[in-house]
Amino acid sequence: MPLEQVLVLLTAAAGAGWVDAVVGGGGLLQLPAILVTGMPPVEAMATNKLSSVFGTTSAAVAYARSTKVDRQVAIPGAAMAMVSAGLGAWAAASISAEVLRPAVMVVLVAVAVPVPHLRTPSRVVAAVAAAGVGIAFYDGIMGPGTGTFLIIAFTTILGLDFVSASASAKIINIGTNVGALAVFAVQGHVQWALGLGMAVCNVAGAQFGARTALKRGAAFVRIVLLVVVVAMVIRLGWQQFA
């Protein structure tokens, strides 16, 4: 791979780490950058997961040190997410993205502005199921925007503030990345050298992003979230209808 392409990918990984740490959606930057190199889609998704799992873990540690993580949701959700994301990765080659994009766009538009709700046992179960099964499967089969979906789920279902939701989302996102990466690795799709190089930059971006979110607070995270949601809707719409 030419040096110029490698430098672009390293820069994209750093930017993706920042976005992912704040509101998720770093795959919107990183995955297209990998695909532009001509790498096959499944290999691109696999290499993206390798880079992202390091950045997500780094951000999760930074959040856990400074803010509350909803362990009642995050821990069981992460365990379920590893299995669901693995199944999604296994199915990635057989389910067309065109089938999923319209549903993803509808959900994004419908819940872009979350309304806090009273926390109840049934809502906790719903949040764990949505994050650990539905969103995790999506992460395995498609990927970009998973962290954003997790934050939206936690704010709309449980009424968490945006910083706490982002912190809890990182724990589950580790599970989705590990589950999908394990399957992709067994299938031989991971470009290890490139992915590990990108991981270093992804971690740097993630640390900066987590610190920015913790310093600027929930209002800042909400603004970035809405920007990312709009970007996702535009991107998915272009892919679906262009």
Side-chain angles (χ1 to χ4, degrees), residues 66-138:
S66 303
T67 193
K68 180 181 179 182
V69 174
D70 195 325
R71 301 179 189 276
Q72 189 178 7
V73 174
I75 294 176
M80 295 169 64
M82 283 191 282
V83 177
S84 297
L87 291 173
W90 178 76
S94 58
I95 299 180
S96 172
E98 281 71 19
V99 176
L100 295 175
R101 287 191 194 114
V104 172
M105 291 169 63
V106 169
V107 172
L108 281 170
V109 173
V111 299
V113 183
V115 179
H117 292 285
L118 178 66
R119 184 189 182 98
T120 64
S122 62
R123 286 187 177 275
V124 172
V125 172
V128 171
V133 179
I135 297 174
F137 184 83
Y138 164 82

Side-chain angles (χ1 to χ4, degrees), residues 156-215:
T156 55
I157 298 174
L158 297 177
L160 295 182
D161 69 80
F162 285 92
V163 174
S164 296
S166 188
S168 301
K170 296 298 168 287
I171 305 298
I172 294 181
N173 215 171
I174 293 173
T176 66
N177 285 332
V178 169
L181 179 60
V183 172
F184 285 136
V186 169
Q187 294 175 338
H189 294 306
V190 182
Q191 296 287 335
W192 292 98
L194 176 62
L196 289 173
M198 294 177 67
V200 174
C201 295
N202 199 273
V203 168
Q207 283 294 304
F208 182 48
R211 288 182 172 85
T212 301
L214 290 167
K215 180 179 179 180

Side-chain angles (χ1 to χ4, degrees), residues 18-19 22-25 28-29 108 112-113 148 152 162 219-235:
W18 187 91
V19 173
V22 178
V23 293
L28 288 168
L29 294 174
L108 281 170
V113 183
T148 307
I152 289 173
F162 285 92
F220 172 77
V221 175
R222 181 170 184 261
I223 292 171
V224 178
L225 175 69
L226 292 176
V227 171
V228 171
V229 166
V230 171
M232 286 178 64
V233 171
I234 293 173
R235 178 175 179 266

